[in-house]
Structure formats: C-alpha cells, structure tokens
Amino acid sequence: VTLITRPRRFGKTLTMSMVEQFFSVEYAGNENFQGLEIWKEDGYRKMQGTYPVISLSLSSVKEKSYEEARKKQNSDRFLPQCRSMRRR
C-alpha cells in the first residue's frame, strides 16, 4: 500500500494517474511510456501492467470533522462504488 500525502495543488492526482497507467493490469501493453527514461529500465518495463491498482480520491470530502465525513461517506456515492469494486 502506498499512501501519498501532500499539500493542495501538489500534483497528487496527476502522480496517481501516472502510476495507475503504468502499473495497472487494465493498461497492460500501454505504449504511453515508450521512449521515456522509465522504459529504458528492463526491470520496470517487465512490471508495466502487472499489478492491480486501486486509486481513491477524497477530494469531494468537504466536511470539517471525521464524524461528519463518515456520515456522508455512508450515505453518499462513495460506499456503493467501493462495493462494486469488490464484486469485480
């Protein structure tokens, strides 16, 4: 598990999208990284498209306390999305 925490506007979503595109089995055979430095390393090239990647964004959580956020999480669309991921 990798947890990426950084201040606002620090490129977390961009970084996670790039990590997902490189490592996720859903993007196996993706040619977006060919010609880049990471592609020159044989070890990294072998890992491309070989891992299950789960990416969660909490950017829509605007509540001011954990309790409020937890209530919204249980009633909002976040929980059904997690349930549908478990069924795959």
Side-chain angles (χ1 to χ4, degrees), residues 24-78:
S24 178
V25 294
E26 292 185 24
Y27 298 99
N30 189 337
E31 298 179 5
N32 291 342
F33 294 91
Q34 290 182 7
L36 300 177
E37 287 296 315
I38 194 167
W39 205 252
K40 294 176 184 175
E41 282 289 327
D42 189 49
Y44 288 127
R45 210 170 38 249
K46 289 179 182 175
M47 289 192 298
Q48 195 277 326
T50 59
Y51 292 97
V53 175
I54 298 172
S55 182
L56 299 175
S57 174
L58 301 177
S59 63
S60 64
V61 177
K62 306 295 183 202
E63 285 64 36
K64 301 208 184 266
S65 72
Y66 174 78
E67 290 78 18
E68 290 175 16
R70 185 78 179 171
K71 283 180 194 173
K72 181 173 181 176
Q73 172 190 348
N74 288 335
S75 64
D76 208 357
R77 56 191 158 98
F78 177 78

